[in-house]
Amino acid sequence: TANKKIAMEAAEVFNALSIEQLIENSSHLLVAPKSLQNKIINFIDDEIEAVKQGIPAYIGIKINSLSDKIIIDKLIEASQAGVKINLIIRGICCLISKVPGFTENITVTSIVGRFLEHSRIYIFGKDERTKIFISSADFMTRNTVRRVEVAVPVYDEDIKARLLDIFNTMLNDNVKARVQYSDGSYRRKYNKKAKLDSQVYFYKQAYEKAKEIPKINMKNEVLTTEKDYAVNEFYKVFLKQ
């Protein structure tokens, strides 16, 4: 990031590590083990309060694993209050969704494909209230209270829109996605929409974007011929799978 305030706090994190200290609080970053879990709880509480006031509330989380009981209990509380919650969790999930009276407002989606799903996105609120973070931390106690992990706020509106698009694209995946049911089982997502493999979609999108960037050779000359933009064989094979 070019955001100086975030960069200064990041420097403080590394300075603290160098002298074996922990960050107790920060204005922008969420920093485990002292000030990540508690702030996540506060953000969930904000959505509970919003829905009580008739304000649209939302929580969207993409992580690898969910086992932190404190966060799980707060998500259940939010669901019971009427907050809509979408969780995209690749692996371990100790919360069971769609249980009447408890988690009927929570969906859990797992996507396992050719590429390892490893990004983390936290979304709280809707419209102008939307807060988005990218992070290194799953919602496991080993991450939230036993390690130094960082979640970074995204302030740029274009990047926020891009992250929301990534998140929603994964929610609409109907090829690799498995949806959790109230008995704890996972089943393929079946619908009549066009097939969408989110990993293939993102791969193709990245490749097409790369083709738009002018190529520069060792002599600093811009290369623009069709030959320079040739799609490699790996890409061709991948898209056929």
Side-chain angles (χ1 to χ4, degrees):
T1 180
N3 185 299
K4 293 183 178 179
K5 293 180 180 179
I6 292 177
M8 289 179 66
E9 288 198 353
E12 290 175 8
V13 172
F14 285 102
N15 287 338
L17 288 172
S18 69
I19 56 174
E20 298 184 357
Q21 292 185 358
L22 300 173
I23 298 294
E24 296 285 343
N25 200 6
S26 54
S27 299
H28 302 276
L29 302 180
L30 314 183
V31 187
K34 296 290 187 179
S35 62
L36 188 145
Q37 184 196 66
N38 59 327
K39 290 188 176 182
I40 294 297
I41 296 300
N42 290 341
F43 290 138
I44 299 174
D45 278 332
D46 288 344
E47 296 312 297
I48 294 173
E49 186 59 32
V51 81
K52 288 179 179 178
Q53 296 179 15
I55 299 171
Y58 180 73
I59 297 170
I61 305 293
K62 180 187 181 300
I63 51 179
N64 296 334
S65 301
L66 171 63
S67 63
D68 186 318
K69 189 175 186 302
I70 291 176
I71 294 178
I72 289 173
D73 288 344
K74 185 58 69 171
L75 288 171
I76 294 172
E77 181 184 338
S79 172
Q80 291 174 316
V83 180
K84 181 180 179 181
I85 304 170
N86 292 134
L87 305 178
I88 301 175
I89 303 175
R90 185 192 77 216
I92 299 168
C93 181
C94 296
L95 178 149
I96 298 179
S97 62
K98 302 182 180 181
V99 177
F102 293 93
T103 58
E104 66 264 40
N105 289 310
I106 301 177
T107 67
V108 176
T109 301
S110 173
I111 296 176
V112 179
R114 177 169 185 170
F115 298 105
L116 178 67
E117 289 294 337
H118 207 59
S119 57
R120 287 102 171 174
I121 304 172
Y122 311 158
I123 304 166
F124 301 98
K126 297 191 72 173
D127 304 322
E128 69 278 357
R129 295 180 51 252
T130 303
K131 301 182 185 72
I132 300 181
F133 294 81
I134 54 176
S135 180
S136 64
D138 289 318
F139 287 172
M140 308 175 75
T141 52
R142 74 177 188 183
N143 302 102
T144 56
V145 296
R146 294 177 185 168
R147 287 182 181 171
V148 176
E149 304 263 11
V150 175
V152 183
V154 177
Y155 297 135
D156 183 278
E157 293 301 323
D158 290 338
I159 300 176
K160 287 173 73 173
R162 181 181 176 188
L163 288 168
L164 287 172
D165 180 65
I166 289 171
F167 189 86
N168 289 326
T169 298
M170 298 191 74
L171 280 181
N172 288 315
D173 188 311
N174 57 6
V175 175
K176 296 297 185 181
R178 303 294 190 274
V179 179
Q180 186 198 68
Y181 285 79
S182 59
D183 61 356
S185 66
Y186 286 80
R187 307 172 198 169
R188 281 183 180 272
K189 182 186 290 185
Y190 288 105
N191 55 43
K192 295 182 180 180
K193 296 180 180 179
K195 287 186 177 181
L196 173 62
D197 183 327
S198 58
Q199 291 193 349
V200 171
Y201 175 85
F202 294 137
Y203 187 98
K204 185 175 181 179
Q205 185 183 62
Y207 209 97
E208 295 302 316
K209 283 287 185 182
K211 288 166 62 176
E212 297 174 8
I213 302 172
K215 303 296 189 296
I216 300 176
N217 64 13
M218 295 299 289
K219 296 180 181 179
N220 230 25
E221 298 171 336
V222 177
L223 305 176
T224 58
T225 66
E226 191 64 31
K227 179 181 177 181
D228 298 314
Y229 293 139
V231 178
N232 65 40
E233 290 304 312
F234 173 78
Y235 178 59
K236 291 178 181 177
V237 172
F238 175 76
L239 291 182
K240 290 178 181 179
Q241 293 181 348

